[in-house]
Every structure is written in C-alpha cells, then in structure tokens.
Amino acid sequence: MKPQLKKKMLSDISAKNALINNYLKKIAEIPDISKPLSMHISRHSFAHISQNPGIESFAIKDILGHSDLATIEK
C-alpha cells in the first residue's frame, strides 16, 4: 500500500473512531450509564463475551486483528 494512501486511510479511521466514541458517550447518557463507552471498550467486551461460549482464542485473535495470541489472553 502506498504510504500516502495508508496515511489517509488511518486518518479516516481515526476520525470515524472519534465520531463513534462521541456517539457512544451520548448514548450512555440516555440510560445514565456511569461507565465509559468507547470503541476500545467494545473490543474488550466482545473478546470477553466471546470467550464465554467457548469460541477458540485463535478465532478471537484473528477477528480482532491481533498478531499474537498472548494479546487476548491477558
């Protein structure tokens, strides 16, 4: 991937991530949720919930885009 395209793509993703995080904060205010909500927290929640029904750690690692299995087993 060309460096300029990669930089633009990462910038676009970052901007959308920030926008979604702002929406999540507004959504959390409606039912008076006191815990912070963000895309990052969502990824942690997904990984945690996925482990409960017995989904293999390798599948969760791949879905989250991690290269090292140890990242999700912390």
Side-chain angles (χ1 to χ4, degrees), residues 5 12 22 43 51 53 74:
L5 179 59
D12 288 348
N22 285 332
R43 287 172 56 87
Q51 289 175 333
K74 291 180 182 179

Side-chain angles (χ1 to χ4, degrees), residues 21-36:
N21 284 339
N22 285 332
Y23 287 145
L24 287 171
K25 285 180 186 178
K26 290 178 183 178
I27 291 168
E29 292 171 359
I30 296 169
D32 198 26
I33 296 173
S34 60
K35 293 189 178 193

Side-chain angles (χ1 to χ4, degrees), residues 7-21:
K7 184 177 179 180
K8 168 98 171 80
M9 187 177 71
L10 291 174
S11 176
D12 288 348
I13 291 170
S14 180
K16 295 298 182 190
N17 191 35
L19 181 65
I20 292 170
N21 284 339

Side-chain angles (χ1 to χ4, degrees), residues 2 46 49 58:
K2 293 182 180 179
F46 169 78
I49 291 167
F58 288 108

